[in-house]
mmCIF file of all heavy atoms in Angstrom:
data_model
loop_
_atom_site.group_PDB
_atom_site.id
_atom_site.type_symbol
_atom_site.label_atom_id
_atom_site.label_comp_id
_atom_site.label_asym_id
_atom_site.label_seq_id
_atom_site.Cartn_x
_atom_site.Cartn_y
_atom_site.Cartn_z
ATOM 1 N N ARG X 575 29.355 101.120 56.003
ATOM 2 C CA ARG X 575 28.251 100.949 56.928
ATOM 3 C C ARG X 575 27.371 99.911 56.331
ATOM 4 O O ARG X 575 27.277 99.668 55.192
ATOM 5 C CB ARG X 575 27.481 102.258 57.058
ATOM 6 C CG ARG X 575 28.173 103.321 57.744
ATOM 7 C CD ARG X 575 27.409 104.650 57.856
ATOM 8 N NE ARG X 575 28.093 105.776 58.610
ATOM 9 C CZ ARG X 575 27.534 106.798 58.874
ATOM 10 N NH1 ARG X 575 26.280 107.182 58.414
ATOM 11 N NH2 ARG X 575 28.298 107.738 59.478
ATOM 12 N N VAL X 576 26.581 99.273 57.214
ATOM 13 C CA VAL X 576 25.534 98.230 56.820
ATOM 14 C C VAL X 576 24.227 98.928 56.849
ATOM 15 O O VAL X 576 23.546 98.861 57.925
ATOM 16 C CB VAL X 576 25.631 97.105 57.790
ATOM 17 C CG1 VAL X 576 24.670 96.000 57.299
ATOM 18 C CG2 VAL X 576 26.970 96.468 57.700
ATOM 19 N N GLY X 577 23.855 99.683 55.928
ATOM 20 C CA GLY X 577 22.568 100.349 55.866
ATOM 21 C C GLY X 577 22.491 101.461 56.997
ATOM 22 O O GLY X 577 23.513 102.163 57.310
ATOM 23 N N ASP X 578 21.373 101.384 57.740
ATOM 24 C CA ASP X 578 21.270 102.234 58.854
ATOM 25 C C ASP X 578 21.556 101.507 60.183
ATOM 26 O O ASP X 578 21.342 102.136 61.248
ATOM 27 C CB ASP X 578 19.774 102.737 58.965
ATOM 28 C CG ASP X 578 19.505 103.623 57.774
ATOM 29 O OD1 ASP X 578 20.512 104.325 57.275
ATOM 30 O OD2 ASP X 578 18.346 103.751 57.303
ATOM 31 N N LEU X 579 22.157 100.363 60.129
ATOM 32 C CA LEU X 579 22.448 99.626 61.363
ATOM 33 C C LEU X 579 23.523 100.445 62.101
ATOM 34 O O LEU X 579 24.708 100.562 61.691
ATOM 35 C CB LEU X 579 22.782 98.202 61.053
ATOM 36 C CG LEU X 579 21.747 97.365 60.426
ATOM 37 C CD1 LEU X 579 22.292 95.961 60.222
ATOM 38 C CD2 LEU X 579 20.496 97.229 61.392
ATOM 39 N N GLU X 580 23.243 100.858 63.358
ATOM 40 C CA GLU X 580 24.088 101.788 64.088
ATOM 41 C C GLU X 580 25.217 101.005 64.686
ATOM 42 O O GLU X 580 26.183 101.549 65.190
ATOM 43 C CB GLU X 580 23.277 102.517 65.025
ATOM 44 C CG GLU X 580 22.661 101.565 66.094
ATOM 45 C CD GLU X 580 21.553 102.318 66.741
ATOM 46 O OE1 GLU X 580 20.879 103.091 66.209
ATOM 47 O OE2 GLU X 580 21.355 101.881 67.966
ATOM 48 N N ASP X 581 25.275 99.524 64.870
ATOM 49 C CA ASP X 581 26.212 98.901 65.638
ATOM 50 C C ASP X 581 27.076 98.002 64.744
ATOM 51 O O ASP X 581 27.670 97.160 65.258
ATOM 52 C CB ASP X 581 25.658 98.138 66.739
ATOM 53 C CG ASP X 581 24.561 96.978 66.149
ATOM 54 O OD1 ASP X 581 24.238 97.148 65.025
ATOM 55 O OD2 ASP X 581 24.420 96.035 67.049
ATOM 56 N N GLN X 582 27.018 98.226 63.357
ATOM 57 C CA GLN X 582 27.767 97.191 62.531
ATOM 58 C C GLN X 582 28.504 98.056 61.358
ATOM 59 O O GLN X 582 28.181 99.064 61.021
ATOM 60 C CB GLN X 582 26.780 96.233 61.849
ATOM 61 C CG GLN X 582 26.039 95.373 62.893
ATOM 62 C CD GLN X 582 25.217 94.397 62.178
ATOM 63 O OE1 GLN X 582 25.554 93.874 61.080
ATOM 64 N NE2 GLN X 582 24.197 93.848 62.939
ATOM 65 N N LEU X 583 29.549 97.301 60.997
ATOM 66 C CA LEU X 583 30.340 97.713 59.807
ATOM 67 C C LEU X 583 30.694 96.638 58.938
ATOM 68 O O LEU X 583 30.915 95.505 59.504
ATOM 69 C CB LEU X 583 31.669 98.546 60.268
ATOM 70 C CG LEU X 583 31.521 99.961 60.784
ATOM 71 C CD1 LEU X 583 32.847 100.365 61.314
ATOM 72 C CD2 LEU X 583 30.880 100.894 59.829
ATOM 73 N N ARG X 632 29.948 100.633 68.719
ATOM 74 C CA ARG X 632 29.207 101.860 69.263
ATOM 75 C C ARG X 632 28.577 102.695 68.111
ATOM 76 O O ARG X 632 29.292 102.783 67.020
ATOM 77 C CB ARG X 632 30.221 102.702 69.957
ATOM 78 C CG ARG X 632 30.744 102.203 71.306
ATOM 79 C CD ARG X 632 31.585 103.248 71.998
ATOM 80 N NE ARG X 632 32.444 102.760 73.078
ATOM 81 C CZ ARG X 632 33.310 103.564 73.568
ATOM 82 N NH1 ARG X 632 33.508 104.701 73.249
ATOM 83 N NH2 ARG X 632 33.968 103.096 74.668
ATOM 84 N N ALA X 633 27.527 103.290 68.315
ATOM 85 C CA ALA X 633 26.757 104.041 67.409
ATOM 86 C C ALA X 633 27.580 105.393 67.301
ATOM 87 O O ALA X 633 28.190 105.872 68.150
ATOM 88 C CB ALA X 633 25.455 104.296 67.706
ATOM 89 N N GLY X 634 27.583 105.970 66.086
ATOM 90 C CA GLY X 634 28.218 107.313 65.962
ATOM 91 C C GLY X 634 29.752 107.391 66.199
ATOM 92 O O GLY X 634 30.302 108.332 66.814
ATOM 93 N N THR X 635 30.472 106.271 65.954
ATOM 94 C CA THR X 635 31.887 106.111 66.396
ATOM 95 C C THR X 635 32.761 105.885 65.171
ATOM 96 O O THR X 635 32.396 105.061 64.408
ATOM 97 C CB THR X 635 31.999 105.066 67.492
ATOM 98 O OG1 THR X 635 31.125 105.458 68.568
ATOM 99 C CG2 THR X 635 33.379 105.079 67.994
ATOM 100 N N SER X 667 32.952 105.108 60.075
ATOM 101 C CA SER X 667 32.109 105.461 61.158
ATOM 102 C C SER X 667 30.702 104.687 61.151
ATOM 103 O O SER X 667 30.171 104.473 60.072
ATOM 104 C CB SER X 667 31.907 107.010 61.367
ATOM 105 O OG SER X 667 31.193 107.421 60.199
ATOM 106 N N THR X 668 30.385 104.320 62.296
ATOM 107 C CA THR X 668 28.906 103.832 62.443
ATOM 108 C C THR X 668 27.908 104.932 62.429
ATOM 109 O O THR X 668 28.224 106.047 62.769
ATOM 110 C CB THR X 668 28.802 102.978 63.741
ATOM 111 O OG1 THR X 668 29.220 103.790 64.807
ATOM 112 C CG2 THR X 668 29.689 101.758 63.662
ATOM 113 N N PRO X 669 26.764 104.700 61.939
ATOM 114 C CA PRO X 669 25.689 105.685 62.039
ATOM 115 C C PRO X 669 25.342 106.071 63.485
ATOM 116 O O PRO X 669 25.480 105.391 64.362
ATOM 117 C CB PRO X 669 24.462 105.135 61.356
ATOM 118 C CG PRO X 669 24.959 103.831 60.642
ATOM 119 C CD PRO X 669 26.118 103.403 61.384
ATOM 120 N N HIS X 670 24.844 107.451 63.528
ATOM 121 C CA HIS X 670 24.445 107.871 64.862
ATOM 122 C C HIS X 670 23.079 107.303 65.298
ATOM 123 O O HIS X 670 22.235 106.911 64.395
ATOM 124 C CB HIS X 670 24.326 109.421 64.822
ATOM 125 C CG HIS X 670 25.438 110.131 64.758
ATOM 126 N ND1 HIS X 670 26.240 110.392 65.987
ATOM 127 C CD2 HIS X 670 26.241 110.683 63.729
ATOM 128 C CE1 HIS X 670 27.358 111.010 65.589
ATOM 129 N NE2 HIS X 670 27.382 111.300 64.250
ATOM 130 N N SER X 671 22.983 106.971 66.484
ATOM 131 C CA SER X 671 21.777 106.397 67.059
ATOM 132 C C SER X 671 20.619 107.532 67.004
ATOM 133 O O SER X 671 20.822 108.683 67.377
ATOM 134 C CB SER X 671 21.874 105.855 68.415
ATOM 135 O OG SER X 671 20.831 105.446 69.033
ATOM 136 N N GLN X 724 14.414 100.504 63.788
ATOM 137 C CA GLN X 724 14.992 101.871 63.926
ATOM 138 C C GLN X 724 14.177 102.859 63.187
ATOM 139 O O GLN X 724 13.964 104.022 63.663
ATOM 140 C CB GLN X 724 16.450 101.841 63.177
ATOM 141 C CG GLN X 724 17.516 101.160 64.072
ATOM 142 C CD GLN X 724 18.871 101.192 63.484
ATOM 143 O OE1 GLN X 724 19.038 102.042 62.623
ATOM 144 N NE2 GLN X 724 19.758 100.359 63.878
#
Side-chain angles (χ1 to χ4, degrees):
R575 296 179 177 182
V576 183
D578 293 328
L579 296 179
E580 61 200 34
D581 65 341
Q582 298 187 26
L583 289 173
R632 290 186 193 174
T635 304
S667 63
T668 53
H670 285 279
S671 170
Q724 289 181 16

